[in-house]
Protein backbone atom coordinates (compact mmCIF):
# COMPACT_ATOMS: atom_id res chain seq x y z
CA UNK A 1 0.00 0.00 0.00
CA UNK A 2 1.11 3.56 -0.71
CA UNK A 3 2.03 5.14 2.64
CA UNK A 4 2.25 8.63 1.22
CA UNK A 5 -0.04 9.92 -1.51
CA UNK A 6 0.16 13.06 -3.59
CA UNK A 7 -3.25 14.77 -3.75
CA UNK A 8 -3.73 18.12 -5.49
CA UNK A 9 -0.45 19.73 -4.49
CA UNK A 10 0.26 17.98 -1.18
CA UNK A 11 2.04 14.81 -0.05
CA UNK A 12 -0.11 13.28 2.67
CA UNK A 13 -0.01 10.18 4.85
CA UNK A 14 -2.41 7.58 3.44
CA UNK A 15 -4.94 8.06 6.29
CA UNK A 16 -5.26 11.79 5.54
CA UNK A 17 -5.24 11.56 1.74
CA UNK A 18 -8.73 12.14 0.36
CA UNK A 19 -10.72 13.75 -2.45
CA UNK A 20 -14.06 15.53 -2.29
CA UNK A 21 -17.27 13.42 -2.26
CA UNK A 22 -18.42 15.32 -5.35
CA UNK A 23 -15.25 14.57 -7.27
CA UNK A 24 -16.35 13.58 -10.76
CA UNK A 25 -14.08 10.55 -10.65
CA UNK A 26 -16.15 9.23 -7.74
CA UNK A 27 -19.54 10.36 -9.12
CA UNK A 28 -19.18 9.51 -12.82
CA UNK A 29 -15.86 7.67 -13.32
CA UNK A 30 -15.03 10.90 -15.18
CA UNK A 31 -11.28 10.47 -15.12
CA UNK A 32 -8.30 8.60 -16.50
CA UNK A 33 -5.28 6.81 -15.05
CA UNK A 34 -1.87 5.36 -15.77
CA UNK A 35 0.17 2.59 -14.14
CA UNK A 36 3.91 2.72 -14.73
CA UNK A 37 6.40 0.05 -13.67
CA UNK A 38 9.24 1.06 -11.34
CA UNK A 39 12.34 -1.08 -11.74
CA UNK A 40 15.49 -0.51 -9.68
CA UNK A 41 14.15 2.92 -8.78
CA UNK A 42 13.60 3.98 -12.41
CA UNK A 43 10.35 4.49 -14.32
CA UNK A 44 9.89 2.10 -17.22
CA UNK A 45 8.66 3.71 -20.46
CA UNK A 46 7.54 6.88 -18.69
CA UNK A 47 7.46 8.90 -21.93
CA UNK A 48 5.02 6.45 -23.53
CA UNK A 49 2.80 6.42 -20.43
CA UNK A 50 2.72 10.23 -20.35
CA UNK A 51 1.96 10.40 -24.07
CA UNK A 52 -0.98 8.02 -23.56
CA UNK A 53 -2.13 10.07 -20.55
CA UNK A 54 -2.12 13.21 -22.71
CA UNK A 55 -4.13 11.41 -25.35
CA UNK A 56 -6.71 10.00 -22.89
CA UNK A 57 -7.16 13.46 -21.37
CA UNK A 58 -7.49 15.17 -24.71
CA UNK A 59 -10.07 12.62 -25.97
CA UNK A 60 -12.18 13.43 -22.88
CA UNK A 61 -11.40 17.18 -22.95
CA UNK A 62 -9.91 17.12 -19.46
CA UNK A 63 -7.06 19.55 -18.82
CA UNK A 64 -3.59 18.28 -17.95
CA UNK A 65 -3.38 19.05 -14.20
CA UNK A 66 0.17 20.41 -14.47
CA UNK A 67 2.93 20.63 -17.08
CA UNK A 68 4.48 17.28 -17.98
CA UNK A 69 7.86 18.15 -16.43
CA UNK A 70 6.21 18.98 -13.11
CA UNK A 71 4.28 15.70 -13.26
CA UNK A 72 7.52 13.79 -13.81
CA UNK A 73 8.85 15.35 -10.60
CA UNK A 74 5.70 14.42 -8.64
CA UNK A 75 5.95 10.81 -9.85
CA UNK A 76 9.59 10.59 -8.66
CA UNK A 77 8.86 12.30 -5.36
CA UNK A 78 5.96 9.90 -4.65
CA UNK A 79 8.18 6.91 -5.50
CA UNK A 80 10.95 8.25 -3.23
CA UNK A 81 8.64 9.06 -0.31
CA UNK A 82 7.22 5.52 -0.46
CA UNK A 83 10.74 4.06 -0.80
CA UNK A 84 9.73 2.03 -3.86
CA UNK A 85 12.62 0.41 -5.76
CA UNK A 86 10.53 -2.17 -7.56
CA UNK A 87 6.80 -1.83 -7.97
CA UNK A 88 4.41 0.56 -9.61
CA UNK A 89 3.44 4.22 -9.58
CA UNK A 90 -0.25 4.98 -10.15
CA UNK A 91 -1.67 8.30 -11.23
CA UNK A 92 -5.25 9.38 -11.69
CA UNK A 93 -6.61 12.60 -13.15
CA UNK A 94 -10.32 13.44 -12.93
CA UNK A 95 -12.35 16.35 -14.26
CA UNK A 96 -12.36 17.74 -10.71
CA UNK A 97 -14.98 18.42 -8.11
CA UNK A 98 -18.29 20.22 -8.73
CA UNK A 99 -21.98 20.00 -7.81
CA UNK A 100 -23.26 16.72 -9.29
CA UNK A 101 -24.51 17.45 -12.80
CA UNK A 102 -23.84 15.46 -15.97
CA UNK A 103 -22.43 18.14 -18.32
CA UNK A 104 -18.86 19.34 -17.84
CA UNK A 105 -18.49 21.82 -14.97
CA UNK A 106 -17.23 25.39 -15.41
CA UNK A 107 -13.86 25.52 -17.18
CA UNK A 108 -12.36 27.08 -14.02
CA UNK A 109 -12.84 23.80 -12.08
CA UNK A 110 -9.36 22.34 -11.59
CA UNK A 111 -8.73 18.69 -12.45
CA UNK A 112 -7.95 16.38 -9.51
CA UNK A 113 -4.55 14.67 -9.49
CA UNK A 114 -3.75 11.72 -7.22
CA UNK A 115 -0.45 9.82 -7.32
CA UNK A 116 0.40 6.73 -5.25
CA UNK A 117 3.25 4.21 -5.40
CA UNK A 118 3.65 0.74 -4.00
CA UNK A 119 6.31 -1.94 -3.89
CA UNK A 120 6.02 -5.33 -5.55
CA UNK A 121 8.02 -8.42 -4.78
CA UNK A 122 10.08 -9.11 -7.94
CA UNK A 123 10.86 -12.67 -6.80
CA UNK A 124 7.15 -13.47 -6.43
CA UNK A 125 6.42 -12.08 -9.92
CA UNK A 126 9.36 -14.09 -11.30
CA UNK A 127 8.04 -17.24 -9.63
CA UNK A 128 4.62 -16.66 -11.16
CA UNK A 129 6.23 -16.20 -14.58
CA UNK A 130 8.12 -19.48 -14.13
CA UNK A 131 4.80 -21.29 -13.65
CA UNK A 132 2.66 -19.21 -15.99
CA UNK A 133 -0.93 -18.18 -15.35
CA UNK A 134 -4.38 -19.50 -16.21
CA UNK A 135 -6.92 -17.37 -18.08
CA UNK A 136 -10.62 -17.84 -18.75
CA UNK A 137 -12.69 -16.30 -21.54
CA UNK A 138 -15.69 -14.06 -20.78
CA UNK A 139 -17.84 -11.80 -22.98
CA UNK A 140 -16.46 -8.30 -23.57
CA UNK A 141 -19.27 -6.06 -22.29
CA UNK A 142 -17.29 -2.78 -22.22
CA UNK A 143 -18.13 0.52 -23.96
CA UNK A 144 -16.92 1.51 -27.44
CA UNK A 145 -13.91 3.67 -26.41
CA UNK A 146 -11.70 1.44 -24.29
CA UNK A 147 -8.67 2.95 -26.06
CA UNK A 148 -9.13 5.76 -23.51
CA UNK A 149 -7.59 4.62 -20.21
CA UNK A 150 -10.65 5.63 -18.20
CA UNK A 151 -11.23 4.76 -14.54
CA UNK A 152 -14.63 3.33 -15.56
CA UNK A 153 -13.51 -0.26 -15.05
CA UNK A 154 -16.61 -2.08 -13.79
CA UNK A 155 -16.73 -4.65 -16.63
CA UNK A 156 -13.00 -5.29 -16.06
CA UNK A 157 -13.61 -5.75 -12.32
CA UNK A 158 -16.41 -8.26 -13.00
CA UNK A 159 -14.31 -10.12 -15.58
CA UNK A 160 -11.34 -10.33 -13.21
CA UNK A 161 -13.54 -11.62 -10.39
CA UNK A 162 -15.08 -14.21 -12.74
CA UNK A 163 -11.51 -15.34 -13.49
CA UNK A 164 -10.66 -15.60 -9.77
CA UNK A 165 -13.88 -17.54 -9.14
CA UNK A 166 -12.78 -20.04 -11.79
CA UNK A 167 -9.26 -20.35 -10.39
CA UNK A 168 -7.59 -18.14 -13.03
CA UNK A 169 -5.58 -14.91 -12.77
CA UNK A 170 -6.79 -13.12 -15.86
CA UNK A 171 -9.91 -12.96 -18.03
CA UNK A 172 -9.71 -12.72 -21.82
CA UNK A 173 -12.56 -10.68 -23.22
CA UNK A 174 -14.41 -12.03 -26.26
CA UNK A 175 -16.26 -9.72 -28.67
CA UNK A 176 -19.43 -10.44 -30.68
CA UNK A 177 -17.41 -12.02 -33.51
CA UNK A 178 -15.91 -14.60 -31.13
CA UNK A 179 -12.51 -12.86 -31.14
CA UNK A 180 -10.44 -12.05 -28.09
CA UNK A 181 -9.98 -8.30 -27.73
CA UNK A 182 -7.62 -8.18 -24.74
CA UNK A 183 -7.35 -9.12 -21.08
CA UNK A 184 -9.24 -7.42 -18.24
CA UNK A 185 -6.00 -5.56 -17.40
CA UNK A 186 -3.53 -6.70 -20.06
CA UNK A 187 -3.08 -7.22 -23.79
CA UNK A 188 -3.48 -10.76 -25.14
CA UNK A 189 -1.02 -12.56 -27.45
CA UNK A 190 -0.67 -16.06 -28.89
CA UNK A 191 2.02 -17.88 -30.84
CA UNK A 192 0.41 -19.93 -33.61
CA UNK A 193 1.66 -23.44 -34.52
CA UNK A 194 3.76 -21.93 -37.36
CA UNK A 195 5.54 -19.61 -34.90
CA UNK A 196 3.71 -16.42 -35.89
CA UNK A 197 2.98 -14.02 -33.05
CA UNK A 198 -0.60 -12.77 -33.10
CA UNK A 199 -2.08 -9.85 -31.15
CA UNK A 200 -5.14 -7.77 -31.94
CA UNK A 201 -4.67 -4.57 -33.91
CA UNK A 202 -5.30 -1.33 -32.03
CA UNK A 203 -8.48 0.65 -32.56
CA UNK A 204 -11.21 1.91 -30.21
CA UNK A 205 -11.85 -1.61 -28.88
CA UNK A 206 -8.57 -2.27 -27.05
CA UNK A 207 -6.12 -0.26 -25.01
CA UNK A 208 -2.86 0.53 -26.77
CA UNK A 209 -0.73 -1.04 -24.04
CA UNK A 210 2.64 0.58 -23.51
CA UNK A 211 4.15 -2.86 -22.86
CA UNK A 212 2.55 -4.04 -26.10
CA UNK A 213 4.10 -1.13 -28.01
CA UNK A 214 7.57 -1.75 -26.57
CA UNK A 215 7.26 -5.47 -27.25
CA UNK A 216 6.43 -4.68 -30.88
CA UNK A 217 9.80 -2.88 -31.05
CA UNK A 218 11.45 -6.02 -29.65
CA UNK A 219 9.59 -8.30 -32.07
CA UNK A 220 10.70 -6.20 -35.01
CA UNK A 221 14.32 -5.89 -33.83
CA UNK A 222 14.51 -9.66 -33.28
CA UNK A 223 13.09 -10.30 -36.75
CA UNK A 224 10.11 -12.33 -35.50
CA UNK A 225 6.96 -12.85 -37.56
CA UNK A 226 3.97 -10.92 -36.31
CA UNK A 227 0.38 -10.42 -37.40
CA UNK A 228 -1.75 -7.76 -35.77
CA UNK A 229 -5.25 -9.19 -35.99
CA UNK A 230 -7.98 -10.57 -33.80
CA UNK A 231 -7.83 -14.27 -32.95
CA UNK A 232 -10.68 -16.54 -31.94
CA UNK A 233 -11.05 -18.55 -28.74
CA UNK A 234 -10.53 -21.70 -30.87
CA UNK A 235 -7.25 -20.33 -32.24
CA UNK A 236 -6.16 -19.53 -28.69
CA UNK A 237 -6.94 -23.09 -27.58
CA UNK A 238 -4.89 -24.45 -30.50
CA UNK A 239 -1.95 -22.06 -29.97
CA UNK A 240 1.62 -23.18 -29.31
CA UNK A 241 2.18 -20.46 -26.70
CA UNK A 242 0.21 -17.62 -25.17
CA UNK A 243 0.99 -14.66 -22.94
CA UNK A 244 -0.25 -11.31 -21.69
CA UNK A 245 1.51 -7.95 -21.45
CA UNK A 246 1.03 -5.16 -18.92
CA UNK A 247 3.16 -2.64 -17.05
CA UNK A 248 3.09 -4.53 -13.76
CA UNK A 249 3.89 -7.98 -15.22
CA UNK A 250 5.69 -7.15 -18.51
CA UNK A 251 5.44 -10.47 -20.44
CA UNK A 252 3.51 -13.09 -18.43
CA UNK A 253 3.15 -16.63 -19.86
CA UNK A 254 -0.35 -18.10 -20.12
CA UNK A 255 -0.35 -21.88 -19.68
CA UNK A 256 -4.06 -22.63 -19.45
CA UNK A 257 -7.09 -21.23 -21.27
CA UNK A 258 -10.54 -22.22 -19.99
CA UNK A 259 -8.98 -25.16 -18.17
CA UNK A 260 -7.18 -26.52 -21.27
CA UNK A 261 -3.36 -26.51 -21.36
CA UNK A 262 -1.68 -24.24 -23.92
CA UNK A 263 0.96 -26.15 -25.91
CA UNK A 264 2.95 -28.30 -23.48
CA UNK A 265 1.23 -26.66 -20.49
CA UNK A 266 4.44 -24.83 -19.50
CA UNK A 267 5.68 -21.34 -20.46
CA UNK A 268 6.83 -21.49 -24.09
CA UNK A 269 10.37 -20.71 -25.30
CA UNK A 270 9.43 -17.63 -27.35
CA UNK A 271 7.43 -16.17 -24.45
CA UNK A 272 10.35 -16.78 -22.06
CA UNK A 273 12.79 -15.14 -24.47
CA UNK A 274 10.56 -12.08 -24.89
CA UNK A 275 10.17 -11.78 -21.13
CA UNK A 276 13.93 -12.06 -20.62
CA UNK A 277 14.70 -9.46 -23.31
CA UNK A 278 11.86 -7.01 -22.65
CA UNK A 279 13.77 -4.42 -20.61
CA UNK A 280 16.47 -4.14 -23.29
CA UNK A 281 13.84 -2.47 -25.45
CA UNK A 282 12.11 -0.43 -22.73
CA UNK A 283 13.34 3.00 -21.69
CA UNK A 284 14.21 3.39 -18.00
CA UNK A 285 14.51 6.97 -16.71
N1 LIG B 1 -3.66 -2.30 -16.97
N2 LIG B 1 -5.48 -3.57 -21.51
C1 LIG B 1 -6.13 -3.17 -20.40
C2 LIG B 1 -7.63 -3.25 -20.39
C3 LIG B 1 -5.41 -2.68 -19.29
O1 LIG B 1 -6.07 -2.27 -18.20
C4 LIG B 1 -3.99 -2.64 -19.35
C5 LIG B 1 -3.17 -2.12 -18.23
C6 LIG B 1 -3.36 -3.09 -20.53
C7 LIG B 1 -1.87 -3.08 -20.69
O2 LIG B 1 -1.38 -1.77 -20.81
P1 LIG B 1 0.10 -1.39 -20.36
O3 LIG B 1 1.01 -2.30 -21.06
O4 LIG B 1 0.26 0.01 -20.77
O5 LIG B 1 0.13 -1.58 -18.84
C8 LIG B 1 -4.14 -3.53 -21.60
C9 LIG B 1 -2.98 -1.67 -15.84
C10 LIG B 1 -1.64 -2.22 -15.56
C11 LIG B 1 -3.91 -1.66 -14.65
O6 LIG B 1 -5.07 -1.35 -14.86
O7 LIG B 1 -3.48 -1.93 -13.53
Amino acid sequence: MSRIAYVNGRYLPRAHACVDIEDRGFQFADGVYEVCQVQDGLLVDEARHLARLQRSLSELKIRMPMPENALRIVLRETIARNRVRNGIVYLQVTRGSARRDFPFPDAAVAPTLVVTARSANPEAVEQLAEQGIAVVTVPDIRWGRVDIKSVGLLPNVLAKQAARDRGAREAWLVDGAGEITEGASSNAWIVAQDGTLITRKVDHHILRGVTRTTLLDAVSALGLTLTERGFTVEEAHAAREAFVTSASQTVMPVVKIDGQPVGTGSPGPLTRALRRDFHRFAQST
Side-chain angles (χ1 to χ4, degrees):
M1 185 191 281
S2 198
R3 282 167 301 183
I4 305 288
Y6 172 92
V7 185
N8 292 332
R10 295 196 295 167
Y11 295 93
L12 296 163
R14 173 72 180 77
H16 299 282
C18 49
V19 293
D20 191 86
I21 57 163
E22 291 204 291
D23 191 277
R24 292 179 64 95
F26 181 57
Q27 295 286 357
F28 297 117
D30 189 1
V32 303
Y33 75 105
E34 280 295 329
V35 177
C36 187
Q37 188 190 24
V38 179
Q39 197 193 39
D40 299 328
L42 298 174
L43 282 105
V44 178
D45 281 332
E46 179 189 27
R48 279 180 170 160
H49 283 283
L50 291 179
R52 187 173 63 188
L53 173 70
Q54 296 264 18
R55 179 180 179 277
S56 295
L57 289 171
S58 111
E59 289 295 304
L60 298 179
K61 301 187 172 61
I62 298 176
R63 269 193 281 140
M64 197 50 186
M66 61 176 60
E68 198 173 290
N69 276 347
L71 183 53
R72 285 174 187 259
I73 292 167
V74 170
L75 295 177
R76 281 168 181 72
E77 189 61 29
T78 308
I79 290 166
R81 287 184 189 229
N82 286 286
R83 298 199 182 89
V84 173
R85 272 199 66 71
N86 291 290
I88 54 137
V89 61
Y90 173 90
L91 79 88
Q92 178 173 155
V93 181
T94 79
R95 203 182 302 277
S97 178
R99 190 175 71 91
R100 186 179 182 280
D101 196 9
F102 283 79
F104 296 172
D106 190 283
V109 171
T112 297
L113 172 62
V114 172
V115 182
T116 57
R118 69 176 193 216
S119 298
N121 177 351
E123 288 85 41
V125 180
E126 224 34 67
Q127 232 173 26
L128 192 63
E130 280 298 313
Q131 293 165 14
I133 62 163
V135 305
V136 293
T137 56
V138 301
D140 190 345
I141 59 166
R142 300 173 301 162
W143 73 318
R145 286 306 306 274
V146 298
D147 57 309
I148 300 168
K149 200 162 170 60
S150 137
V151 294
L153 291 170
L154 191 50
N156 309 59
V157 167
L158 297 177
K160 196 72 105 174
Q161 186 57 39
R164 291 294 149 95
D165 291 345
R166 288 160 63 187
R169 268 194 98 83
E170 179 59 304
W172 276 6
L173 311 177
V174 182
D175 67 14
E179 289 182 348
I180 289 153
T181 50
E182 61 182 329
S185 65
S186 58
N187 288 113
W189 302 65
I190 57 170
V191 181
Q193 288 299 337
D194 68 357
T196 305
L197 277 155
I198 307 175
T199 194
R200 197 184 179 290
K201 71 171 169 34
V202 289
D203 54 21
H204 288 176
H205 303 296
I206 69 163
L207 183 75
R208 186 189 287 264
V210 167
T211 319
R212 176 190 184 282
T213 303
T214 297
L215 199 66
L216 289 181
D217 292 345
V219 164
S220 142
L222 298 169
L224 302 170
T225 314
L226 167 92
T227 311
E228 285 182 77
R229 64 163 175 87
F231 55 87
T232 62
V233 176
E234 292 68 36
E235 279 184 283
H237 282 148
R240 192 151 92 183
E241 300 182 28
F243 60 91
V244 294
T245 53
S246 75
S248 51
Q249 309 189 91
T250 66
V251 177
M252 180 58 70
V254 169
V255 293
K256 219 187 252 184
I257 302 172
D258 294 328
Q260 294 180 34
V262 178
T264 62
S266 300
L270 185 52
T271 306
R272 283 167 169 282
L274 290 172
R275 178 175 178 83
R276 194 189 53 230
D277 285 350
F278 176 80
H279 285 102
R280 279 208 293 128
F281 297 90
Q283 225 180 40
S284 293
T285 53

